[in-house]
Amino acid sequence: NKGNYEHYMQKEIHEQPESLKTTMRGRLIRGGSCKAKTVLLGGLKDHFKTIRRSRRIVFIGCGTSYNAALAARPILEELSGVPVTMEIASDLLDRQGPIYREDTAVFVSQSGETADTLQALEYALENGALCVGITNTVGSAIARHTHCGVHINAGAEIGVASTKAYTSQIVVMAMLALAIGGDTISSQTRREAIIDGLFDLPNKVREVLNLDQEMKDLAKLLVAEQSLLVFGRGYNYATALEGALKVKEVALMHSEGILAGEMKHGPLALVDENLPIIVIATRDSCFSKQQSVIQQLHARKGRVIVMCSKGEAVSVCPGGLGRVIEVPHVEDCLQPVINVVPLQLLAYHLTVLRGYNVDQPRNLAKSVTTQ
Ligand code: UD1
Ligand code: M6R
C-alpha cells in the first residue's frame, strides 16, 4: 500500500523518521538524572564478551548493505578498539579470504536472503567465526543461520532501491558500537552525545526531508547529464558510494562515489566545466580537507554542488560559487543518516523526470538469490 505516494521508493524515503523510531524502540535507555544512558540489544547480550575479545570484526554484505556497514565502520573502530575490516561478500568468496575462529563476522542484509552473503556466511561458519546477522527480515535465511544478531525493524521495504533499510542499518550498527564499547570515563561524554543524537535523529531526518522540492529542482538541472560524481570522505565516504549507487540503479545515469582523498590520484583528470560533482562537506574532522578539495575543483572550473551543514554556505562557497545543499548538523557518526536523504530524493526525482520505472529498475531484483 503506497498510501498518498506515487511510488514505494518515495514512500519509503519519507517514512524514515518513523522507521528509525521503530528501529530504536526499546533499545535506547535514557535513564534518570544520575543513571547512565545505555543501549540494549537483546539478541546480542550473551555474546558481547566474545565480540569484545575477538581479534577483528569483519563486515560482510553487498550493495547498499555493504555501504551501510562502511558508514558505521569509523564509530565501531573508535568505540570498540577492535580492528574492523570490510568484505563484499562475492569478493570474499572469490578470494576464499581468511576468516578465523577469533573473528566476529557481521552479515548485513536487508532481505536476509542474498545468495552471496548467505554463502559467505556458510563459509565463515565453517571457519569457526562468531557469526552475527543484521537483517530486516525475521525468519530469513541469514537470521536463522547466524549465531545471534539484531533485526533492524525498519518494516517491509518494497522498492528495489534500498532507502529506509540503509538508514536503519546504520543506526543499528551505531548502537552496536555503543553496546560493544566499554563504559570508560573518557568515552562517556562522547557516548552520551551519540545517544542524545540518536533520540533526536528522527526529527532531524524530518527536517532534511523538507529539501524535497530543492532536490526536485536540482534533478531538473541534472536530468540530461551523462554522469554525476559524488565526493566524500571519512564518515561520508559511504554516503558518496550510496548516493551514486541510488542514481545509477534507479535513474539509470552513470554515477560514481569517489573517496575525496583519492582525487589527485586519477579522478581530477575528469574535471571540466560540464561534469556535475556533488561534494559532501558537512562539518566534521575532515571539513578543512574538503574545503581544500572544493577550492581545487573550482580552480579547474569544476561544476561543483556542495552539501554542507546548515548556515555554512559561505565557508564552503567563497564568493557564492556553485550551488549548495544545506543539511541539519548532527553528531559526526550519525551525519551519514542525514546526508544520504537528499541524494535519495535526487535519485528519485531524476528517475521520475527521466521516465524510468522507480520501483522496479530494469534488470534488477529486490533480492538477489542467485549468484
Ligand atoms: C525480541 C523480539 C521482539 C520483542 C523483544 C522484547 C523477535 C524477532 N524479536 O527483540 O519482538 O519485542 O524481543 O524484548 O522475536 N537474530 C539472529 N540473527 C539475525 C537477527 C536476529 O540470530 O540476523 C536473533 C537474535 O540473536 C535474537 C533473535 O534473533 O535471539 C531476535 O532478535 P531481535 O529481534 O533483534 O531481538 P530483540 O530486539 O531482543
Ligand atoms: O537484501 P540485501 O541487503 O542483502 O541486498 C543487497 C543488495 O542486493 C542491495 O542492497 C542492492 O544493492 C539494492 N538494490 C540497492 O538499492
Side-chain angles (χ1 to χ4, degrees):
N1 185 339
K2 294 198 278 263
N4 294 328
Y5 295 101
E6 277 174 58
H7 304 99
Y8 282 110
M9 181 187 181
Q10 184 190 29
K11 170 175 176 271
E12 287 158 3
I13 292 172
H14 288 274
E15 216 166 71
Q16 290 177 104
E18 287 72 39
S19 52
L20 287 170
K21 261 193 202 154
T22 328
T23 296
M24 292 187 275
R25 185 163 299 140
R27 291 169 165 172
L28 278 185
I29 315 294
R30 186 111 69 163
S33 54
C34 53
K35 255 185 80 187
K37 299 168 182 174
T38 46
V39 169
L40 270 181
L41 295 172
L44 296 184
K45 63 179 189 311
D46 301 331
H47 303 269
F48 283 126
K49 241 190 181 155
T50 319
I51 300 174
R52 282 188 199 113
R53 282 189 196 144
S54 50
R55 176 151 89 177
R56 64 168 179 165
I57 296 168
V58 193
F59 274 129
I60 302 165
C62 306
T64 290
S65 293
Y66 174 90
N67 292 344
L70 188 66
R73 179 196 203 179
I75 193 61
L76 190 61
E77 283 181 335
E78 180 192 325
L79 295 182
S80 74
V82 181
V84 181
T85 63
M86 302 291 310
E87 291 284 359
I88 289 179
S90 65
D91 188 49
L92 176 68
L93 293 167
D94 290 347
R95 290 173 10 251
Q96 295 284 293
I99 296 284
Y100 302 107
R101 294 180 56 81
E102 300 80 5
D103 287 334
T104 294
V106 182
F107 296 84
V108 187
S109 173
Q110 188 284 131
S111 63
E113 303 290 347
T114 300
D116 285 327
T117 312
L118 191 55
Q119 203 179 320
L121 167 59
E122 302 306 337
Y123 174 74
L125 286 169
E126 281 163 24
N127 285 279
L130 174 71
C131 294
V132 179
I134 295 180
T135 148
N136 197 27
T137 317
V138 179
S140 61
I142 289 170
R144 282 183 284 114
H145 295 181
T146 40
H147 294 118
C148 57
V150 188
H151 290 114
I152 67 168
N153 299 337
E157 191 181 63
I158 312 290
V160 166
S162 182
T163 53
K164 64 174 180 170
Y166 179 71
T167 48
S168 283
Q169 285 167 334
I170 297 176
V171 160
V172 160
M173 288 183 268
M175 292 195 290
L176 176 69
L178 287 162
I180 297 175
D183 232 340
T184 58
I185 301 284
S186 61
S187 68
Q188 200 175 335
T189 316
R190 172 74 160 148
R191 295 167 53 82
E192 291 192 3
I194 299 169
I195 295 178
D196 288 339
L198 284 169
F199 272 109
D200 200 31
L201 200 55
N203 290 330
K204 298 288 184 178
V205 171
R206 199 164 290 122
E207 203 178 315
V208 76
L209 282 166
N210 289 331
L211 292 176
D212 193 32
Q213 185 58 45
E214 204 175 313
M215 290 304 110
K216 192 173 177 180
D217 294 342
L218 182 60
K220 283 180 192 157
L221 204 74
L222 300 178
V223 66
E225 294 303 331
Q226 297 278 338
S227 180
L228 171 69
L229 300 187
V230 190
F231 278 33
R233 72 197 310 148
Y235 293 103
N236 288 289
Y237 173 37
T239 311
L241 295 184
E242 177 58 10
L245 177 58
K246 288 296 88 102
V247 169
K248 83 180 89 168
E249 173 179 36
V250 281
L252 316 191
M253 180 189 286
H254 170 254
S255 187
E256 239 184 280
I258 290 176
L259 185 67
E262 282 286 285
M263 179 177 75
K264 292 182 184 167
H265 303 286
L268 197 53
L270 290 171
V271 177
D272 62 14
E273 57 279 8
N274 301 314
L275 175 66
I277 304 174
I278 297 181
V279 181
I280 302 168
T282 41
R283 183 67 77 167
D284 63 18
S285 57
C286 297
F287 181 67
S288 62
K289 285 184 172 179
Q290 283 303 72
Q291 276 182 307
S292 118
V293 162
I294 294 164
Q295 276 170 9
Q296 295 176 49
L297 291 173
H298 281 313
R300 281 153 189 92
K301 306 245 176 317
R303 207 175 139 198
V304 182
I305 301 155
V306 182
M307 184 185 295
C308 67
S309 303
K310 212 162 245 179
E312 302 220 321
V314 180
S315 46
V316 293
C317 278
L321 279 174
R323 224 184 144 98
V324 292
I325 304 166
E326 291 188 54
V327 299
H329 180 73
V330 297
E331 195 69 9
D332 53 13
C333 61
L334 304 177
Q335 195 70 50
V337 171
I338 299 298
N339 293 1
V340 80
V341 174
L343 303 177
Q344 294 172 340
L345 290 168
L346 176 66
Y348 171 74
H349 288 297
L350 277 173
T351 311
V352 173
L353 291 171
R354 286 160 71 94
Y356 294 122
N357 189 329
V358 174
D359 289 326
Q360 185 48 258
R362 71 175 181 211
N363 309 337
L364 297 183
K366 177 65 181 163
S367 145
V368 184
T369 53
T370 53
Q371 284 181 308

